[in-house]
Amino acid sequence: MYVVEFVVEGDEPFARVMEHIARWLSGPQAQLVSADLSSSGGRDLAPARTPVGTHPRHGEWEVLHSGDTRALKLVVTQAVDTDLELSTRVSVTDLDGIVRFRVGIGRETTNQRLVPVGATDVYQPGILRSLDQDDALTLRAGGQLVNRRYVPVKTGAEARAVAEILEREDRLPLAFVHVRSTETWDLAKELSQKLLGLVRTVTLNFDTSRALAAAHPEVRVPFGGLAIAWPGLGVPPLTLSAGRLRELGVERVRAALMHRLGALAALANGEDTAWRRVRVLADNARLMELSEQASRAREGGDTAGEIAALNRQVQALEAAKAEFESIGEDALQQADRNARLVRQLESELSQAREEAAMWQSSYVELSAGRAVEPPAPQDAWTAIPTLTPRSDPNATFLAITDAASERIVFTDRARKSWSDIDYPEPEDMTEKLIALARASVVLYDGEDKSIPHLDDWLRENFGLTVALTDQTISKWKRKEMRWLNEFDHEGEALDATPHVKVRDAVKPNECGRIHFALQGKGTEGRLVVQHVGVKTYG
């Protein structure tokens, strides 16, 4: 159902991984420490906690040593239904100086009746979150960095760099999310945090999405939606439109992707070769030790000792033979399961365009003969919704941020400032915000330009009346005004005294203001909007 494998780098990675495993298995009534995992054993564990409840768990583990080589194999089982058992298999190996961590989830029925078995929800094991959050460790899959942070692609140069790796066969699938709504930002965070090792999440804006499609026309990310680009681009991407995302919700999308990507990862990661190599080394070392014992007994005339050593050799050989026979049987069964799974996935892929479901084409709904979503606008500025008084402005703010390639962003304070007022001219406020955002694109495009006075430049080129200073605000000492002339944004102190005068010489509740700070320079610069609402003082 799910298999991922990582190379773990960092400070004492094997020991740190063992500590994380012990904490993962522990609870108030079942305490483990890493020393408990230094020799083979088993015991009841702390119950598994899932979004749908808790389930009792039992663990069995085997430990191998051979010189500097060491390994742990752990099997954790839990009942998830009357006749269904879920198992999580973990192996940690230290071989040739490389530490590998592997975790897989499978299920099996506990009866032999030919009855249908419902789908089992699969959640990322908590041990992965623990390893990822350890700053002393780095996880890599196929040489690629793996962590729970999405990769933001904000510029054309960054989009071209991503386009260059798309045809590689040795990469993880890439989940491209065009982030311009709360749902898409939530989706990017959910996939990056809960599908570790299965997919790498990349966020795009309108411009970088178009740049990617220009380099690879087959990778067209739906406007405000999602596209999964498979390694090598030999198979068409899976796509999810903005409308479909809203309909399904983030959690259902995650669950569907977990099942699909987990099944593919189980196929791709195959057998646990690292554990197998450690097993062979340990068995060879044990047989060598027994052979030496038999030789010493023979040389010393200890016939009984020689016979005992030879008997132990026979037992070790029989155990190894039994294990390899079991491995062979498991391999045959796995090959049969993999063949069925491949046929199933191929069938699903061939039917995808005929289903009005998640993995259908995002552009043509065959059964209804109409477009699933309107075609992406040629200009992202035309798709910005107008602000609505006394309501959450996030949809408008995110759409503006997307159209401006994140050269303008909005703070939580800006969102609150609009949500709390009943402004009478929302269309005018929206137009001024868009004009300010367009100005930010030109201001921070990295090209040399002469701007002696920013306020004059904004008025002459974008029709904005801007005041860069305000003696009343600057001199205001009361605590309630400090959020405006001095605020912290992502660890940097900024000043939002500069402001756009939306309307002036009108009633206080109609006098609009947009307060913003200038952050950074060149292509790294942006405007940070701290207030969208009415004038902050009389």
Side-chain angles (χ1 to χ4, degrees), residues 14 65 80 84 95 146 155 158 174 193 204 240 281 302 370 413 437 471 474 503 517 520:
F14 188 89
H65 293 278
V80 295
L84 200 62
L95 181 63
V146 172
T155 67
E158 291 171 347
L174 295 178
Q193 294 176 7
L204 302 171
L240 179 65
L281 290 173
D302 183 2
R370 58 180 176 82
R413 188 77 188 222
Q471 291 186 354
S474 299
R503 300 184 77 197

Side-chain angles (χ1 to χ4, degrees), residues 314-330:
V314 170
Q315 292 170 1
L317 287 169
E318 287 179 342
K321 176 175 176 291
E323 179 171 353
F324 280 112
E325 287 177 347
S326 173
I327 289 170
E329 180 64 25
D330 287 346

Side-chain angles (χ1 to χ4, degrees), residues 10 14 52 212 236 286 300 318 333 341 360 379 432 468 499:
F14 188 89
V52 295
L212 189 68
R286 176 61 175 160
E318 287 179 342
Q333 293 178 3
L341 181 56
Q360 67 183 5
D379 184 354
K432 295 299 191 298
L468 299 177
H499 56 277

Side-chain angles (χ1 to χ4, degrees), residues 73-319:
K73 177 179 260 186
L74 165 71
V75 179
V76 178
T77 56
Q78 64 187 63
V80 295
D81 202 349
T82 305
D83 298 322
L84 200 62
E85 189 174 78
L86 202 65
S87 64
T88 303
R89 298 173 181 269
V90 173
S91 68
V92 189
T93 59
D94 186 353
L95 181 63
D96 300 329
I98 298 174
V99 175
R100 288 183 172 83
F101 173 87
R102 177 185 174 98
V103 59
I105 299 175
R107 65 174 187 169
E108 62 181 337
T109 181
T110 55
N111 65 55
Q112 302 300 316
R113 292 177 297 154
L114 294 177
V115 295
V117 176
T120 302
D121 290 332
V122 180
Y123 296 95
Q124 180 175 277
I127 180 63
L128 282 184
R129 182 174 60 255
S130 299
L131 296 180
D132 177 66
Q133 292 177 338
D134 189 337
D135 293 335
L137 298 178
T138 299
L139 307 180
R140 298 188 185 277
Q144 301 168 81
L145 179 67
V146 172
N147 56 40
R148 62 202 317 258
R149 290 176 288 279
Y150 54 78
V151 180
V153 176
K154 302 178 182 180
T155 67
E158 291 171 347
R160 289 188 291 273
V162 172
E164 290 177 0
I165 69 170
L166 281 184
E167 293 184 356
R168 285 177 46 183
E169 297 279 356
D170 59 345
R171 63 169 174 81
L172 290 173
L174 295 178
F176 291 109
V177 185
H178 178 198
V179 285
R180 59 174 289 113
S181 66
T182 301
E183 292 88 356
T184 47
W185 277 112
D186 289 345
L187 178 64
K189 294 172 186 175
E190 183 81 358
L191 299 186
S192 61
Q193 294 176 7
K194 297 184 179 179
L195 295 181
L196 283 173
L198 295 178
V199 68
R200 200 77 167 101
T201 305
V202 179
T203 60
L204 302 171
N205 55 48
F206 182 74
D207 287 338
T208 54
S209 179
R210 290 199 303 176
L212 189 68
H216 292 281
E218 66 274 35
V219 185
R220 293 189 176 275
V221 183
F223 187 78
L226 162 80
I228 304 285
W230 304 110
L233 299 182
V235 178
L238 293 179
T239 57
L240 179 65
S241 69
R244 190 67 173 142
L245 169 58
R246 287 191 298 270
E247 178 185 343
L248 291 171
V250 170
E251 173 55 27
R252 286 179 63 190
V253 173
R254 181 213 61 81
L257 282 174
M258 171 65 86
H259 277 284
R260 173 61 61 89
L261 294 170
L264 293 174
L267 285 171
N269 286 312
E271 62 177 339
D272 190 348
T273 56
W275 169 264
R276 186 74 48 78
R277 285 184 60 196
V278 175
R279 162 64 73 187
V280 170
L281 290 173
D283 287 346
N284 289 343
R286 176 61 175 160
L287 289 172
M288 181 66 70
E289 178 187 354
L290 293 172
S291 178
E292 291 173 355
Q293 289 178 7
S295 296
R296 287 195 298 270
R298 187 182 308 111
E299 292 170 358
D302 183 2
T303 303
E306 179 182 3
I307 292 173
L310 290 173
N311 282 334
R312 287 194 292 271
Q313 273 186 291
V314 170
Q315 292 170 1
L317 287 169
E318 287 179 342

Side-chain angles (χ1 to χ4, degrees), residues 222-469:
F223 187 78
L226 162 80
I228 304 285
W230 304 110
L233 299 182
V235 178
L238 293 179
T239 57
L240 179 65
S241 69
R244 190 67 173 142
L245 169 58
R246 287 191 298 270
E247 178 185 343
L248 291 171
V250 170
E251 173 55 27
R252 286 179 63 190
V253 173
R254 181 213 61 81
L257 282 174
M258 171 65 86
H259 277 284
R260 173 61 61 89
L261 294 170
L264 293 174
L267 285 171
N269 286 312
E271 62 177 339
D272 190 348
T273 56
W275 169 264
R276 186 74 48 78
R277 285 184 60 196
V278 175
R279 162 64 73 187
V280 170
L281 290 173
D283 287 346
N284 289 343
R286 176 61 175 160
L287 289 172
M288 181 66 70
E289 178 187 354
L290 293 172
S291 178
E292 291 173 355
Q293 289 178 7
S295 296
R296 287 195 298 270
R298 187 182 308 111
E299 292 170 358
D302 183 2
T303 303
E306 179 182 3
I307 292 173
L310 290 173
N311 282 334
R312 287 194 292 271
Q313 273 186 291
V314 170
Q315 292 170 1
L317 287 169
E318 287 179 342
K321 176 175 176 291
E323 179 171 353
F324 280 112
E325 287 177 347
S326 173
I327 289 170
E329 180 64 25
D330 287 346
L332 289 173
Q333 293 178 3
Q334 185 62 46
D336 183 56
R337 288 194 293 268
N338 288 352
R340 291 198 303 270
L341 181 56
V342 167
R343 289 194 297 270
Q344 174 189 342
L345 294 176
E346 287 175 345
S347 174
E348 290 179 5
L349 183 61
S350 67
Q351 295 174 8
R353 292 185 179 275
E354 299 175 5
E355 298 174 352
M358 180 177 173
W359 304 126
Q360 67 183 5
S361 163
S362 296
Y363 302 103
V364 179
E365 184 176 340
L366 298 179
S367 60
R370 58 180 176 82
V372 172
E373 60 173 339
Q378 296 300 308
D379 184 354
W381 300 103
T382 65
I384 295 172
T386 301
L387 288 167
T388 301
R390 203 175 287 280
S391 65
D392 186 354
N394 215 31
T396 300
F397 288 177
L398 290 175
I400 290 174
T401 298
D402 172 53
S405 297
E406 299 182 53
R407 291 187 179 93
I408 185 170
V409 295
F410 297 81
T411 66
D412 288 337
R413 188 77 188 222
R415 296 183 182 93
K416 186 176 186 302
S417 64
W418 178 263
S419 300
D420 291 343
I421 64 169
D422 190 15
Y423 192 72
E425 298 289 343
E427 295 84 0
D428 189 27
M429 183 68 79
T430 306
E431 289 176 5
K432 295 299 191 298
L433 278 175
I434 292 173
L436 184 64
R438 286 183 177 275
S440 72
V441 173
V442 179
L443 186 61
Y444 295 113
D445 62 7
E447 297 182 3
D448 293 333
K449 56 180 68 68
S450 176
I451 307 179
H453 300 285
L454 182 59
D455 51 352
D456 292 338
W457 182 79
L458 289 169
R459 183 180 65 255
E460 293 167 3
N461 293 275
F462 298 94
L464 293 171
T465 301
V466 174
L468 299 177
T469 61

Side-chain angles (χ1 to χ4, degrees), residues 50-69:
T50 71
V52 295
T54 60
H55 305 281
R57 293 187 298 177
H58 181 81
E60 300 282 345
W61 57 89
E62 181 180 3
V63 177
L64 300 176
H65 293 278
S66 178
D68 294 334
T69 298

